[in-house]
């Protein structure tokens, strides 16, 4: 296969972690006879610096033409002025919206050898294997809003959802649950928010088509508690945009580090292989404090590349090979700083990438 992958390295540690993911994709290409053509484009703070826009037209056009998009991270203190006309994060949100990437898949799995890297007790972590599906193009992130401006007094954001927006993401989550353990938790704030009541009514209507699923509706505040008290009781979790953002940062602690969690954002647009044109990114941010120091964990981005192979290119064997290589390296006790603990060997971003590449070549 020949696939066109737009790479948005972005800011902070973005370029370092995407470089390692490309390394892995190259090994996959060589091993399985595929050609991946990379198109490096600007998005985020680096794009503001170079072009004045966080999402330049050229970048969006390249993304629309691609088979898949691999993203590092965007943002940093340099662009954190609240009065700035454009922000790195705006580019990311505009890209998600423009490509209607309404479903953000965030699998949370704990590698058995990383139990010691988590702040939670081993018995709580036993059996954690979640798939959080976050609605990504609606809700509080995109509803009507008013900025207060420099001397402003009042500002607001609106959690607006329409029925079709809820239906499509809940349906996707229900389909995913059917492929897994047939358990689905739908998260809302039904007791307080009007949009929460629409969410729950709509979810129930959609889920009537899935009699085999065991469904539970969970309030978001309770869910934040359950996630650290009994995370293994959940399988597929679906939620709105803002709640999903918060819950997945929390859930990342179940996996030991933000540096371990990949994500895939999918929508209705199909690529030249008639598969979803997806955006693949680690859930972590640009970590400006450690940028350029070869300390970042590239595994979340490497695992995002595995999701890219699976969802946008239909290469399940190749995706599983990447995941197995990551497991094998972790089994050997090799760690980047974020997941290092006594008895493990600390390596740089690049060495971690090399070791995963070596495993792939050897197997
Ligand atoms: C994420 C991030 C983004 C979000 C930021 C960088 C805009 O936190 O992907 O979870 O809030 O969606
Ligand atoms: Mg987030």
């Amino acid at each position: 296969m020949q696939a066109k992958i737009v790479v948005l390295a972005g800011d902070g540690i973005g370029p370092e972690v995407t470089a390692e993911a490309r390394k892995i994709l190259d090994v996959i290409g060589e091993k399985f006879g595929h050609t991946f053509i990379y198109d490096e484009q600007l998005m985020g703070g680096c794009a503001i610096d170079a072009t004045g826009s966080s999402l330049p037209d050229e970048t969006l056009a390249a993304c629309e033409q691609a088979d898949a998009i691999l993203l590092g991270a965007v943002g940093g203190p340099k662009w954190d002025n609240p009065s700035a006309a454009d922000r790195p994060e705006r580019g990311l949100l505009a890209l998600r919206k423009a490509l209607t990437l309404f479903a953000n898949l965030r699998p949370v799995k704990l590698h058995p050898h990383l139990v010691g890297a988590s702040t939670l007790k081993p018995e709580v972590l036993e059996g954690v294997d979640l798939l959080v599906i976050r609605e990504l193009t609606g809700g509080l992130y995109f509803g009507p809003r008013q900025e207060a401006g420099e001397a402003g007094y009042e500002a607001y954001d609106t959690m607006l959802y329409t029925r079709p927006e809820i239906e499509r993401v809940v349906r996707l989550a229900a389909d995913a649950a059917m492929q897994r353990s047939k358990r689905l938790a739908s998260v809302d704030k039904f007791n307080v928010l009007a949009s929460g009541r629409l969410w729950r009514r709509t979810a129930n209507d959609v889920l009537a088509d899935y009699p085999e699923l065991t469904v539970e509706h969970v309030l978001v505040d309770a869910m934040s508690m359950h996630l650290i008290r009994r995370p293994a009781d959940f399988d597929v979790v679906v939620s709105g945009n803002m709640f999903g953002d918060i819950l997945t940062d929390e859930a990342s602690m179940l996996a030991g580090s933000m540096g371990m969690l990949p994500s895939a954002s999918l929508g209705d647009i199909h690529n030249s292989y008639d598969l979803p044109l997806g955006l693949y990114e680690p859930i972590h941010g640009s970590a400006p404090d450690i940028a350029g120091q070869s300390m970042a964990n590239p595994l979340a981005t490497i695992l995002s590349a595995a999701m890219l192979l699976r969802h946008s290119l239909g290469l399940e064997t190749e995706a599983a090979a990447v995941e197995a290589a990551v497991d094998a390296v972790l089994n050997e006790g090799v760690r980047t700083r974020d997941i290092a603990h006594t008895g493990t060997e600390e390596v740089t971003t690049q060495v971690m990438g090399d070791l995963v590449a070596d495993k792939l070549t050897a197997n």
Side-chain angles (χ1 to χ4, degrees):
M1 141 179 297
Q2 182 168 311
K4 212 163 122 193
I5 301 174
V6 165
V7 179
L8 306 171
D11 310 316
I13 58 171
E16 294 165 70
V17 293
T18 47
E20 298 316 304
R22 274 181 63 161
K23 198 185 268 178
I24 299 310
L25 287 171
D26 284 339
V27 175
I28 287 289
E30 192 134 313
K31 189 176 160 101
F32 293 89
H34 305 303
T35 310
F36 301 126
I37 302 156
Y38 306 106
D39 181 5
E40 292 265 1
Q41 295 285 341
L42 296 170
M43 204 269 283
C46 58
I48 294 177
D49 288 352
T51 72
S53 164
S54 56
L55 179 63
D57 293 343
E58 193 192 321
T59 301
L60 179 57
C63 289
E64 284 167 341
Q65 300 301 313
D67 290 313
I69 306 155
L70 181 70
L71 166 70
V74 295
K78 182 172 175 195
W79 305 281
D80 265 351
N81 174 6
S83 309
D86 197 355
R87 304 174 50 77
E89 293 79 4
R90 197 200 62 87
L92 177 56
L93 300 185
L95 181 62
R96 289 171 177 171
K97 191 75 174 175
L99 301 178
T100 50
L101 302 170
F102 65 83
N104 181 215
L105 277 52
R106 299 187 160 186
V108 181
K109 214 170 169 171
L110 175 67
H111 186 281
H113 288 174
L114 290 187
V115 173
S118 175
T119 50
L120 295 167
K121 292 184 189 138
E123 58 269 31
V124 173
L125 297 171
E126 176 100 43
V128 167
D129 184 1
L130 292 161
L131 174 61
V132 182
I133 300 182
R134 167 189 175 194
E135 199 290 325
L136 204 60
T137 50
L140 204 45
Y141 274 58
F142 293 97
R145 69 188 48 196
Q146 181 178 297
E147 294 283 344
E150 280 295 325
Y153 165 74
E154 192 180 62
Y156 60 78
D157 303 278
T158 317
M159 194 181 290
L160 173 85
Y161 268 117
T162 63
R163 232 173 196 281
E165 283 176 325
I166 301 168
E167 277 166 4
R168 62 186 181 183
V169 73
V170 171
R171 196 166 291 286
L172 191 142
D175 289 337
M178 288 300 290
Q179 303 294 317
R180 293 172 50 111
S181 74
K182 302 197 172 156
R183 281 177 297 146
L184 176 66
S186 172
V187 175
D188 60 40
K189 187 71 184 177
F190 164 89
N191 52 350
V192 175
L193 302 177
S195 56
R197 288 185 280 277
L198 180 67
W199 183 281
R200 190 166 298 195
R201 267 199 305 274
T202 309
N204 273 327
D205 291 346
V206 170
L207 295 170
D209 292 343
Y210 297 84
E212 280 179 61
L213 288 185
T214 306
V215 174
E216 87 186 282
H217 296 279
V218 192
L219 294 171
V220 63
D221 45 352
M223 190 66 195
S224 70
M225 173 179 67
H226 299 325
L227 266 184
I228 49 172
R229 184 152 183 264
R230 48 180 189 92
D233 288 354
F234 297 92
D235 185 10
V236 179
V237 177
V238 62
S239 83
N241 202 344
M242 182 82 257
F243 298 158
D245 179 46
I246 298 167
L247 291 176
T248 50
D249 265 28
E250 186 191 9
S252 74
M253 290 298 101
L254 304 170
S257 165
M258 294 263 284
M260 292 302 302
L261 290 199
S263 86
S265 303
L266 308 174
D268 286 331
I269 300 179
H270 280 199
N271 61 22
S272 62
Y273 291 98
D274 204 23
L275 288 164
L277 163 61
L279 169 67
Y280 300 85
E281 53 174 315
I283 85 151
H284 62 67
S286 61
D289 52 322
I290 60 162
Q293 296 175 46
S294 297
M295 267 164 58
N297 185 346
L299 294 180
T301 316
I302 290 174
L303 292 169
S304 300
M307 293 186 88
L308 181 159
L309 294 167
R310 174 174 293 126
H311 294 284
S312 282
L313 304 182
L315 300 174
E316 176 58 39
T317 308
E318 290 81 342
V322 173
E323 289 160 351
V326 167
D327 276 348
V329 168
L330 291 173
N331 285 342
E332 287 173 1
V334 186
R335 304 282 186 268
T336 41
R337 179 155 309 173
D338 56 315
I339 47 176
H341 55 91
T342 325
T344 60
E345 183 198 342
E346 195 177 315
V347 298
T348 63
T349 310
Q350 292 72 24
V351 170
M352 184 58 104
D354 288 343
L355 291 170
V356 176
D358 292 347
K359 280 278 177 257
L360 274 172
T361 316
N363 288 332

